[in-house]
Structure formats: C-alpha cells, structure tokens
Amino acid sequence: DVKVTQSSRYLVKRTGEKVFLECVQDMDHENMFWYRQDPGLGLRLIYFSYDVKMKEKGDIPEGYSVSREKKERFSLILESASTNQTSMYLCASSFRDRGGGGYTFGSGTRLTVV
Amino acid sequence: QKEVEQNSGPLSVPEGAIASLNCTYSDRGSQSFFWYRQYSGKSPELIMSIYSNGDKEDGRFTAQLNKASQYVSLLIRDSQPSDSATYLCAVNRIKAAGNKLTFGGGTRVLVKP
C-alpha cells in the first residue's frame, strides 16, 4: 500500500526549541510539500521541493526551513518554535509531470508549542 | 479575489439526497482539477480528478468541469452520514518545474439522518 508517512502524529514542544518534522514517501514522487492547516485559514503552503536538494518557498515560509537530501524524505524544521506555530502540519507528495496528478497526503502532525 | 473559491458552508443535506458543491477558479491556464474529502482531524483524501470539460462519474460521486465558465462541481448522490466532511477543491496549472495545487478553503457538508 503506497503511502506518505509522517514521523509523529502528535508533538508538544516548548517555545524556542528547534523542531524537526519528518516525512517519507514510497511512491517515487519527485514533488514533496509541507502545508499547515488552521481553522478558517485552510491549507497554506510552507515549502515545496521538486527534486533532491531543491526547494522553493511557499506562501508562509517565515520561521521554517526544509531539507531534502534523499528523494523519499522531506524534513520541515522550525528553527525556534513559537506559540503561533501551533498547528496541524501536513506533508504531501506527487509526480512532477504526469498529467498533473493529485497529491497524496500523510496523516498529519498536530504540533502544540507551549 | 481568491484563486480558488468555495462556499464554506455548512451545506446541510438530508440522507439520501444529492449534495451539490461548487468551486470557481481564477486562473484560465488551470488544467487539472481535484476534489479531496477531509474528515475532522484527518488529512485530505483524493476522491475525484477531472481534466476535460464535461462529467466524470465514480460511484456516487460526479465531478463536472466547465473551463469556459471556470467552475468545477462535485455531486454526491444518495448522501450518507459518512459523507459528512469538508470537501476541498484544488486546481493545477502544470509548470515546467513542478505540479503545485492551489486549494480552496473547503465546503463543510453535513448529512442528516
């Protein structure tokens, strides 16, 4: 069963901590994405990557960075966690060029920063 | 104007009725269109994709696309309480480097027994 796996379902971190969210996909997708989802604000793109070591900023990259050292893995890093980064974080992946196919999402990580 | 617009709802539908969800988009270059279902606290799940004008049916779901009018719709026939969820519309303008979807805010659907 093909899937996108996020390392943690729930996380609680303290303000100022460096936080790593990991995402792994087994579908040989070129594209990987990180979104956050908040009530009333919908899905907001943080960063995406269309190839190993490639990254592009999304709509809300401030306070975040990413790493893609291998095709199957895309990491989101919160350099210094703040309470306004409390959110549901969703990883997704897709093929780059095959007719513009849809995304497959991971199950999400609900992060609480206290 | 938002790139992809949906009525946030809630859309209340009696069990067994047809739920009709609409989505409009602003980019005339959009080429691929998707509907995702998201249950509360869960991640979005792809339920329909449509690429050309007209209707596409899959079980109780029908997606309709009209590129001239820039809208895409989703019909859910014989609605069941298990269809209660938020439905996200997403569109894609395929670029040379990437395949990036733009999502609407979602329509919340409530199916009442």
Side-chain angles (χ1 to χ4, degrees):
Chain A
D1 191 22
V2 294
K3 58 185 178 182
V4 177
T5 302
Q6 294 185 230
S7 54
S8 304
R9 188 74 179 94
Y10 298 95
L11 273 181
V12 180
K13 296 293 182 181
R14 294 192 181 277
T15 301
E17 277 194 77
K18 192 168 186 175
V19 181
F20 293 86
L21 303 183
E22 305 286 342
C23 176
V24 177
Q25 52 94 5
D26 64 1
M27 294 169 282
D28 202 31
H29 285 165
E30 296 90 355
N31 292 345
M32 297 189 75
F33 307 83
W34 276 106
Y35 287 86
R36 63 177 284 179
Q37 187 174 35
D38 302 286
L41 296 177
L43 281 166
R44 293 184 291 170
L45 181 64
I46 304 171
Y47 268 98
F48 74 100
S49 168
Y50 53 88
D51 204 347
V52 175
K53 296 191 185 294
M54 305 301 289
K55 61 184 179 183
E56 285 196 22
K57 293 180 180 179
D59 302 317
I60 52 163
E62 296 79 19
Y64 303 94
S65 63
V66 290
S67 172
R68 189 155 181 213
E69 297 296 318
K70 294 184 178 181
K71 188 176 185 179
E72 67 271 17
R73 187 180 297 269
F74 192 34
S75 302
L76 179 69
I77 303 153
L78 285 66
E79 299 291 344
S80 177
S82 64
T83 55
N84 63 14
Q85 292 178 311
T86 292
S87 186
M88 168 71 94
Y89 289 86
L90 290 163
C91 176
S93 69
S94 75
F95 288 114
R96 185 165 64 204
D97 296 318
R98 298 190 191 183
Y103 295 176
T104 301
F105 282 89
S107 56
T109 296
R110 187 165 293 280
L111 173 67
T112 302
V113 182
V114 298
Chain B
Q1 180 188 10
K2 291 183 180 179
E3 292 184 57
V4 180
E5 295 210 52
Q6 298 180 253
N7 189 317
S8 61
L11 175 65
S12 186
V13 179
E15 185 175 357
I18 296 175
S20 178
L21 291 73
N22 294 316
C23 170
T24 59
Y25 59 94
S26 60
D27 185 353
R28 285 196 171 273
S30 298
Q31 298 176 302
S32 306
F33 306 85
F34 306 90
W35 285 98
Y36 286 82
R37 177 177 62 200
Q38 187 175 23
Y39 293 115
S40 180
K42 303 294 186 182
S43 61
E45 171 194 13
L46 180 65
I47 55 171
M48 289 290 287
S49 58
I50 187 166
Y51 302 97
S52 55
N53 282 329
D55 295 359
K56 179 181 178 182
E57 188 174 316
D58 185 358
R60 295 186 297 110
F61 298 103
T62 299
Q64 299 173 317
L65 175 61
N66 185 324
K67 289 185 178 180
S69 300
Q70 294 177 247
Y71 83 79
V72 56
S73 62
L74 180 71
L75 301 177
I76 307 173
R77 290 183 301 281
D78 188 24
S79 295
Q80 301 297 309
S82 59
D83 295 325
S84 297
T86 296
Y87 290 80
L88 302 171
C89 172
V91 305
N92 178 10
R93 181 179 185 143
I94 301 172
K95 300 191 298 184
N99 164 19
K100 191 155 62 81
L101 295 179
T102 302
F103 287 87
T107 298
R108 186 166 156 239
V109 173
L110 293 174
V111 181
K112 298 189 174 181

mmCIF file of all heavy atoms in Angstrom, chain B residues 74-106:
data_model
loop_
_atom_site.group_PDB
_atom_site.id
_atom_site.type_symbol
_atom_site.label_atom_id
_atom_site.label_comp_id
_atom_site.label_asym_id
_atom_site.label_seq_id
_atom_site.Cartn_x
_atom_site.Cartn_y
_atom_site.Cartn_z
ATOM 1 N N LEU B 74 -18.941 19.184 -7.683
ATOM 2 C CA LEU B 74 -18.981 17.807 -7.211
ATOM 3 C C LEU B 74 -20.397 17.495 -6.751
ATOM 4 O O LEU B 74 -20.963 18.239 -5.949
ATOM 5 C CB LEU B 74 -18.004 17.594 -6.052
ATOM 6 C CG LEU B 74 -17.963 16.180 -5.466
ATOM 7 C CD1 LEU B 74 -17.309 15.211 -6.455
ATOM 8 C CD2 LEU B 74 -17.207 16.155 -4.130
ATOM 9 N N LEU B 75 -20.955 16.417 -7.289
ATOM 10 C CA LEU B 75 -22.254 15.940 -6.845
ATOM 11 C C LEU B 75 -22.064 14.652 -6.071
ATOM 12 O O LEU B 75 -21.328 13.769 -6.506
ATOM 13 C CB LEU B 75 -23.175 15.681 -8.038
ATOM 14 C CG LEU B 75 -23.467 16.861 -8.968
ATOM 15 C CD1 LEU B 75 -24.336 16.409 -10.127
ATOM 16 C CD2 LEU B 75 -24.143 17.984 -8.206
ATOM 17 N N ILE B 76 -22.728 14.568 -4.940
ATOM 18 C CA ILE B 76 -22.723 13.337 -4.155
ATOM 19 C C ILE B 76 -24.157 12.823 -4.132
ATOM 20 O O ILE B 76 -25.047 13.448 -3.541
ATOM 21 C CB ILE B 76 -22.224 13.581 -2.715
ATOM 22 C CG1 ILE B 76 -20.875 14.299 -2.711
ATOM 23 C CG2 ILE B 76 -22.110 12.246 -1.970
ATOM 24 C CD1 ILE B 76 -20.404 14.719 -1.326
ATOM 25 N N ARG B 77 -24.381 11.708 -4.807
ATOM 26 C CA ARG B 77 -25.738 11.137 -4.857
ATOM 27 C C ARG B 77 -25.958 10.229 -3.674
ATOM 28 O O ARG B 77 -25.017 9.649 -3.115
ATOM 29 C CB ARG B 77 -25.924 10.353 -6.155
ATOM 30 C CG ARG B 77 -25.982 11.223 -7.401
ATOM 31 C CD ARG B 77 -26.254 10.352 -8.637
ATOM 32 N NE ARG B 77 -25.217 9.343 -8.801
ATOM 33 C CZ ARG B 77 -24.042 9.594 -9.320
ATOM 34 N NH1 ARG B 77 -23.725 10.804 -9.718
ATOM 35 N NH2 ARG B 77 -23.153 8.618 -9.447
ATOM 36 N N ASP B 78 -27.237 10.067 -3.301
ATOM 37 C CA ASP B 78 -27.600 9.183 -2.195
ATOM 38 C C ASP B 78 -26.691 9.460 -0.984
ATOM 39 O O ASP B 78 -26.026 8.558 -0.451
ATOM 40 C CB ASP B 78 -27.484 7.723 -2.626
ATOM 41 C CG ASP B 78 -28.020 6.752 -1.592
ATOM 42 O OD1 ASP B 78 -28.865 7.172 -0.774
ATOM 43 O OD2 ASP B 78 -27.576 5.580 -1.587
ATOM 44 N N SER B 79 -26.667 10.693 -0.556
ATOM 45 C CA SER B 79 -25.765 11.111 0.525
ATOM 46 C C SER B 79 -25.978 10.270 1.779
ATOM 47 O O SER B 79 -27.121 9.988 2.175
ATOM 48 C CB SER B 79 -25.981 12.591 0.844
ATOM 49 O OG SER B 79 -25.619 13.397 -0.245
ATOM 50 N N GLN B 80 -24.870 9.918 2.414
ATOM 51 C CA GLN B 80 -24.878 9.125 3.631
ATOM 52 C C GLN B 80 -24.246 9.928 4.773
ATOM 53 O O GLN B 80 -23.410 10.808 4.541
ATOM 54 C CB GLN B 80 -24.089 7.846 3.417
ATOM 55 C CG GLN B 80 -24.613 6.971 2.297
ATOM 56 C CD GLN B 80 -26.022 6.484 2.575
ATOM 57 O OE1 GLN B 80 -26.295 5.944 3.649
ATOM 58 N NE2 GLN B 80 -26.926 6.678 1.611
ATOM 59 N N PRO B 81 -24.613 9.621 6.018
ATOM 60 C CA PRO B 81 -23.972 10.326 7.139
ATOM 61 C C PRO B 81 -22.451 10.237 7.084
ATOM 62 O O PRO B 81 -21.766 11.172 7.519
ATOM 63 C CB PRO B 81 -24.553 9.608 8.364
ATOM 64 C CG PRO B 81 -25.900 9.146 7.909
ATOM 65 C CD PRO B 81 -25.723 8.754 6.465
ATOM 66 N N SER B 82 -21.918 9.156 6.530
ATOM 67 C CA SER B 82 -20.463 9.019 6.413
ATOM 68 C C SER B 82 -19.851 9.986 5.401
ATOM 69 O O SER B 82 -18.624 10.129 5.332
ATOM 70 C CB SER B 82 -20.092 7.595 6.018
ATOM 71 O OG SER B 82 -20.692 7.254 4.780
ATOM 72 N N ASP B 83 -20.695 10.669 4.613
ATOM 73 C CA ASP B 83 -20.199 11.693 3.685
ATOM 74 C C ASP B 83 -19.998 13.031 4.382
ATOM 75 O O ASP B 83 -19.488 13.982 3.772
ATOM 76 C CB ASP B 83 -21.182 11.884 2.519
ATOM 77 C CG ASP B 83 -21.297 10.653 1.644
ATOM 78 O OD1 ASP B 83 -20.281 9.950 1.460
ATOM 79 O OD2 ASP B 83 -22.418 10.387 1.154
ATOM 80 N N SER B 84 -20.393 13.131 5.633
ATOM 81 C CA SER B 84 -20.206 14.377 6.389
ATOM 82 C C SER B 84 -18.710 14.630 6.566
ATOM 83 O O SER B 84 -17.997 13.844 7.207
ATOM 84 C CB SER B 84 -20.898 14.287 7.759
ATOM 85 O OG SER B 84 -22.292 14.138 7.604
ATOM 86 N N ALA B 85 -18.250 15.705 5.976
ATOM 87 C CA ALA B 85 -16.814 16.016 5.939
ATOM 88 C C ALA B 85 -16.648 17.380 5.298
ATOM 89 O O ALA B 85 -17.624 18.002 4.870
ATOM 90 C CB ALA B 85 -16.051 14.957 5.131
ATOM 91 N N THR B 86 -15.422 17.836 5.222
ATOM 92 C CA THR B 86 -15.101 19.036 4.459
ATOM 93 C C THR B 86 -14.526 18.610 3.119
ATOM 94 O O THR B 86 -13.669 17.731 3.064
ATOM 95 C CB THR B 86 -14.097 19.922 5.216
ATOM 96 O OG1 THR B 86 -14.707 20.382 6.430
ATOM 97 C CG2 THR B 86 -13.688 21.127 4.377
ATOM 98 N N TYR B 87 -15.014 19.213 2.051
ATOM 99 C CA TYR B 87 -14.585 18.867 0.703
ATOM 100 C C TYR B 87 -13.758 20.025 0.138
ATOM 101 O O TYR B 87 -14.218 21.165 0.075
ATOM 102 C CB TYR B 87 -15.792 18.561 -0.176
ATOM 103 C CG TYR B 87 -16.452 17.265 0.243
ATOM 104 C CD1 TYR B 87 -17.309 17.227 1.328
ATOM 105 C CD2 TYR B 87 -16.165 16.071 -0.419
ATOM 106 C CE1 TYR B 87 -17.884 16.040 1.750
ATOM 107 C CE2 TYR B 87 -16.744 14.875 -0.010
ATOM 108 C CZ TYR B 87 -17.594 14.872 1.076
ATOM 109 O OH TYR B 87 -18.154 13.693 1.494
ATOM 110 N N LEU B 88 -12.547 19.707 -0.248
ATOM 111 C CA LEU B 88 -11.605 20.688 -0.763
ATOM 112 C C LEU B 88 -11.495 20.569 -2.274
ATOM 113 O O LEU B 88 -11.307 19.468 -2.806
ATOM 114 C CB LEU B 88 -10.215 20.474 -0.151
ATOM 115 C CG LEU B 88 -10.104 20.531 1.363
ATOM 116 C CD1 LEU B 88 -8.714 20.083 1.801
ATOM 117 C CD2 LEU B 88 -10.373 21.931 1.868
ATOM 118 N N CYS B 89 -11.611 21.694 -2.934
ATOM 119 C CA CYS B 89 -11.386 21.774 -4.376
ATOM 120 C C CYS B 89 -9.939 22.211 -4.597
ATOM 121 O O CYS B 89 -9.434 23.083 -3.859
ATOM 122 C CB CYS B 89 -12.358 22.793 -4.963
ATOM 123 S SG CYS B 89 -12.103 23.219 -6.689
ATOM 124 N N ALA B 90 -9.274 21.629 -5.574
ATOM 125 C CA ALA B 90 -7.889 22.014 -5.861
ATOM 126 C C ALA B 90 -7.695 22.068 -7.370
ATOM 127 O O ALA B 90 -8.249 21.245 -8.102
ATOM 128 C CB ALA B 90 -6.912 21.021 -5.236
ATOM 129 N N VAL B 91 -6.927 23.034 -7.827
ATOM 130 C CA VAL B 91 -6.660 23.175 -9.259
ATOM 131 C C VAL B 91 -5.160 23.271 -9.478
ATOM 132 O O VAL B 91 -4.395 23.637 -8.577
ATOM 133 C CB VAL B 91 -7.371 24.407 -9.866
ATOM 134 C CG1 VAL B 91 -8.865 24.363 -9.588
ATOM 135 C CG2 VAL B 91 -6.782 25.685 -9.349
ATOM 136 N N ASN B 92 -4.752 22.984 -10.698
ATOM 137 C CA ASN B 92 -3.332 22.887 -11.010
ATOM 138 C C ASN B 92 -3.052 23.494 -12.372
ATOM 139 O O ASN B 92 -3.738 23.187 -13.342
ATOM 140 C CB ASN B 92 -2.935 21.416 -11.015
ATOM 141 C CG ASN B 92 -1.495 21.210 -11.384
ATOM 142 O OD1 ASN B 92 -0.724 22.139 -11.473
ATOM 143 N ND2 ASN B 92 -1.136 19.973 -11.591
ATOM 144 N N ARG B 93 -2.051 24.351 -12.379
ATOM 145 C CA ARG B 93 -1.533 24.813 -13.664
ATOM 146 C C ARG B 93 -0.165 24.172 -13.813
ATOM 147 O O ARG B 93 0.753 24.522 -13.084
ATOM 148 C CB ARG B 93 -1.419 26.323 -13.685
ATOM 149 C CG ARG B 93 -0.896 26.851 -15.006
ATOM 150 C CD ARG B 93 -0.816 28.361 -15.024
ATOM 151 N NE ARG B 93 -0.434 28.820 -16.349
ATOM 152 C CZ ARG B 93 -0.912 29.915 -16.911
ATOM 153 N NH1 ARG B 93 -1.776 30.669 -16.270
ATOM 154 N NH2 ARG B 93 -0.525 30.259 -18.104
ATOM 155 N N ILE B 94 -0.040 23.219 -14.711
ATOM 156 C CA ILE B 94 1.196 22.457 -14.815
ATOM 157 C C ILE B 94 2.307 23.374 -15.320
ATOM 158 O O ILE B 94 2.168 24.033 -16.326
ATOM 159 C CB ILE B 94 1.029 21.263 -15.767
ATOM 160 C CG1 ILE B 94 -0.092 20.358 -15.262
ATOM 161 C CG2 ILE B 94 2.331 20.488 -15.875
ATOM 162 C CD1 ILE B 94 -0.458 19.272 -16.223
ATOM 163 N N LYS B 95 3.395 23.415 -14.586
ATOM 164 C CA LYS B 95 4.524 24.237 -14.993
ATOM 165 C C LYS B 95 5.686 23.335 -15.338
ATOM 166 O O LYS B 95 5.692 22.153 -15.033
ATOM 167 C CB LYS B 95 4.910 25.198 -13.866
ATOM 168 C CG LYS B 95 3.788 26.140 -13.473
ATOM 169 C CD LYS B 95 4.285 27.245 -12.561
ATOM 170 C CE LYS B 95 4.824 26.708 -11.257
ATOM 171 N NZ LYS B 95 5.206 27.837 -10.360
ATOM 172 N N ALA B 96 6.721 23.927 -15.899
ATOM 173 C CA ALA B 96 7.874 23.150 -16.313
ATOM 174 C C ALA B 96 8.529 22.471 -15.123
ATOM 175 O O ALA B 96 8.965 21.335 -15.193
ATOM 176 C CB ALA B 96 8.872 24.033 -17.039
ATOM 177 N N ALA B 97 8.589 23.184 -14.036
ATOM 178 C CA ALA B 97 9.241 22.619 -12.858
ATOM 179 C C ALA B 97 8.253 22.549 -11.714
ATOM 180 O O ALA B 97 8.229 23.386 -10.842
ATOM 181 C CB ALA B 97 10.436 23.467 -12.453
ATOM 182 N N GLY B 98 7.428 21.560 -11.749
ATOM 183 C CA GLY B 98 6.535 21.426 -10.608
ATOM 184 C C GLY B 98 5.099 21.162 -11.017
ATOM 185 O O GLY B 98 4.695 21.311 -12.155
ATOM 186 N N ASN B 99 4.354 20.771 -10.062
ATOM 187 C CA ASN B 99 2.951 20.399 -10.222
ATOM 188 C C ASN B 99 2.321 20.804 -8.913
ATOM 189 O O ASN B 99 2.195 20.010 -8.002
ATOM 190 C CB ASN B 99 2.887 18.887 -10.482
ATOM 191 C CG ASN B 99 1.506 18.328 -10.290
ATOM 192 O OD1 ASN B 99 0.522 19.042 -10.294
ATOM 193 N ND2 ASN B 99 1.436 17.025 -10.102
ATOM 194 N N LYS B 100 1.982 22.085 -8.789
ATOM 195 C CA LYS B 100 1.602 22.635 -7.499
ATOM 196 C C LYS B 100 0.125 22.970 -7.493
ATOM 197 O O LYS B 100 -0.349 23.738 -8.318
ATOM 198 C CB LYS B 100 2.449 23.882 -7.212
ATOM 199 C CG LYS B 100 2.338 24.400 -5.802
ATOM 200 C CD LYS B 100 3.581 25.201 -5.409
ATOM 201 C CE LYS B 100 3.796 26.428 -6.253
ATOM 202 N NZ LYS B 100 2.962 27.543 -5.805
ATOM 203 N N LEU B 101 -0.584 22.358 -6.579
ATOM 204 C CA LEU B 101 -2.023 22.584 -6.474
ATOM 205 C C LEU B 101 -2.327 23.858 -5.686
ATOM 206 O O LEU B 101 -1.607 24.208 -4.749
ATOM 207 C CB LEU B 101 -2.695 21.406 -5.778
ATOM 208 C CG LEU B 101 -2.649 20.058 -6.499
ATOM 209 C CD1 LEU B 101 -3.351 19.002 -5.664
ATOM 210 C CD2 LEU B 101 -3.283 20.163 -7.864
ATOM 211 N N THR B 102 -3.397 24.501 -6.070
ATOM 212 C CA THR B 102 -3.955 25.608 -5.290
ATOM 213 C C THR B 102 -5.285 25.138 -4.739
ATOM 214 O O THR B 102 -6.154 24.687 -5.494
ATOM 215 C CB THR B 102 -4.154 26.859 -6.157
ATOM 216 O OG1 THR B 102 -2.898 27.242 -6.720
ATOM 217 C CG2 THR B 102 -4.693 28.011 -5.306
ATOM 218 N N PHE B 103 -5.450 25.232 -3.422
ATOM 219 C CA PHE B 103 -6.633 24.701 -2.751
ATOM 220 C C PHE B 103 -7.629 25.804 -2.426
ATOM 221 O O PHE B 103 -7.245 26.929 -2.083
ATOM 222 C CB PHE B 103 -6.237 24.022 -1.433
ATOM 223 C CG PHE B 103 -5.547 22.709 -1.621
ATOM 224 C CD1 PHE B 103 -4.181 22.651 -1.798
ATOM 225 C CD2 PHE B 103 -6.262 21.529 -1.606
ATOM 226 C CE1 PHE B 103 -3.536 21.433 -1.975
ATOM 227 C CE2 PHE B 103 -5.637 20.300 -1.776
ATOM 228 C CZ PHE B 103 -4.273 20.260 -1.962
ATOM 229 N N GLY B 104 -8.893 25.456 -2.511
ATOM 230 C CA GLY B 104 -9.926 26.307 -1.955
ATOM 231 C C GLY B 104 -10.019 26.109 -0.455
ATOM 232 O O GLY B 104 -9.364 25.225 0.108
ATOM 233 N N GLY B 105 -10.844 26.922 0.180
ATOM 234 C CA GLY B 105 -10.970 26.852 1.626
ATOM 235 C C GLY B 105 -11.809 25.693 2.129
ATOM 236 O O GLY B 105 -11.798 25.395 3.328
ATOM 237 N N GLY B 106 -12.529 25.036 1.225
ATOM 238 C CA GLY B 106 -13.313 23.868 1.609
ATOM 239 C C GLY B 106 -14.770 24.189 1.882
ATOM 240 O O GLY B 106 -15.106 25.304 2.313
#
